[in-house]
């Protein structure tokens, strides 16, 4: 499959961050992966409507102050594939849908490269549901406060494979310090669900040589979906 043909390059994004820092242009140094937060939303019994309402009204962390709207996620709620990014950017905050900017276009191309389309057997969510100001990486506290929503989404979707796009998503799902270079290229697990870590599309827009590694990760995803743990 012609990777170069499918993965169209866009204009570079404004600022650079390393993938080990996260997508945002103003990186934060995470200190603890799952810090205690004052209170956590009780999501265990929520159905989709209750979850959407809780996320829309959430005030568990300071990110709610700057949002136009919370961005729950988009796609097929019975999907086999779940892709998890970092958090909404400016366009996502405006439109209420994850990955609608330049990084989203590349994500769509990545999906197409393995025969997938947004919304068809694919669900896309983020580690945090509200836009971090200035496109910075969400703090460990913000991710911990939002984690119950992501966990409930995973319980409701019951995907066959989870893809963590970038370091913050990987860390919030695996609850451990992650370096993308070391974590990518092999299978992890979220509870009993296989999980693949790969580069965030926004990082790939700025670091073209790593697209070859991302392609390997896409092949691992496809293989895992086909063969399960034997992939
Ligand atoms: N980057 C993300 O991680 N998520 C989005 O929804 C958009 C950009």
């Amino acid at each position: 499959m012609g990777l170069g043909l499918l993965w169209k390059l866009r204009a570079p994004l404004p600022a650079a961050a390393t993938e080990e820092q996260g997508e945002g242009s103003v990186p934060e140094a995470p200190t603890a992966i799952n810090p205690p937060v004052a209170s956590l939303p009780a999501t265990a019994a929520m159905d989709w409507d209750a979850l959407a309402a809780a996320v829309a009204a959430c005030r568990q962390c300071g990110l709610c102050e700057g949002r136009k709207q919370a961005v729950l996620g988009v796609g097929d709620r019975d999907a086999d594939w779940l892709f998890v990014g970092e958090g909404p950017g400016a366009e996502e905050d405006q439109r209420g849908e994850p990955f609608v900017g330049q990084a989203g276009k590349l994500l769509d191309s990545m999906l197409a490269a393995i025969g997938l389309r947004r919304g068809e057997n694919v669900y896309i969510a983020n580690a945090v549901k509200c836009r971090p100001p200035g496109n910075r990486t969400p703090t460990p506290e913000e991710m911990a406060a939002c984690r119950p929503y992501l966990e409930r989404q995973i319980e409701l979707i019951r995907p066959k494979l989870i893809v963590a796009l970038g370091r913050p998503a990987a860390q919030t799902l695996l609850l451990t310090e992650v370096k993308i270079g070391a974590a990518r290229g092999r299978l992890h697990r979220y509870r009993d669900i296989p999980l693949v870590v790969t580069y965030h599309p926004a990082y790939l827009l700025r670091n073209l040589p790593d697209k070859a590694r991302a392609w390997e990760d896409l092949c691992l995803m496809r293989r895992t979906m086909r063969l399960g743990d034997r992939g």
Side-chain angles (χ1 to χ4, degrees):
M1 182 170 300
L3 186 62
L5 290 175
L6 285 168
W7 289 32
K8 291 236 168 53
L9 302 182
R10 314 275 155 180
L13 294 178
T18 71
E19 180 61 330
E20 303 310 351
Q21 288 166 328
E23 178 207 346
S25 57
V26 187
E28 299 256 320
T31 47
I33 299 305
N34 194 27
V37 285
S39 66
L40 286 172
T43 52
M46 288 181 183
D47 63 11
W48 277 107
D49 287 348
L51 186 62
V55 166
C58 182
R59 304 197 66 78
Q60 294 281 337
C61 80
L63 293 184
C64 63
E65 305 293 343
R67 74 181 175 216
K68 174 171 183 245
Q69 59 190 315
V71 180
L72 176 65
V74 71
D76 178 354
R77 291 174 173 181
D78 289 317
D80 289 339
W81 298 78
L82 171 64
F83 289 78
V84 181
E86 181 175 323
E91 282 185 72
E92 289 78 16
D93 179 62
Q94 284 297 316
R95 288 176 48 185
E97 179 173 334
F99 283 100
V100 290
Q102 288 188 68
K105 293 198 176 81
L106 181 56
L107 177 59
D108 288 342
S109 298
M110 292 166 75
L111 296 178
I114 50 173
L116 298 173
R117 276 170 67 136
R118 178 183 293 245
E120 291 178 12
N121 203 20
V122 171
Y123 193 91
I124 303 172
N126 276 313
V128 296
K129 311 304 188 203
C130 298
R131 181 193 176 197
N135 204 28
R136 67 163 167 76
T137 302
T139 65
E141 289 75 17
E142 289 158 355
M143 289 200 289
C146 217
R147 194 167 189 272
Y149 298 128
L150 180 60
E151 287 176 340
R152 188 64 188 146
Q153 283 178 299
I154 296 171
E155 283 165 5
L156 289 167
I157 297 166
R158 294 185 292 116
K160 292 197 175 128
L161 179 69
I162 299 175
V163 179
L165 298 165
R167 187 185 195 214
Q171 293 193 159
T172 207
L173 287 162
L174 296 173
L175 285 177
T176 184
E177 187 74 40
V178 168
K179 293 216 182 309
I180 296 295
R184 59 158 294 277
R186 61 197 171 87
L187 273 187
H188 303 263
R189 248 167 210 290
Y190 171 89
R191 301 192 182 157
D192 59 344
I193 304 170
L195 183 150
V196 172
V197 173
T198 192
Y199 297 102
H200 192 286
Y203 167 85
L204 290 173
L205 286 169
R206 293 186 292 261
N207 296 273
L208 305 185
D210 279 330
K211 279 184 150 190
R213 293 198 180 90
W215 172 245
E216 290 170 10
D217 297 337
L218 288 167
C219 293
L220 172 62
M221 293 168 208
R222 204 168 43 179
R223 223 167 36 242
T224 304
M225 188 57 92
R226 207 181 297 133
L227 304 174
D229 285 351
R230 291 169 294 131

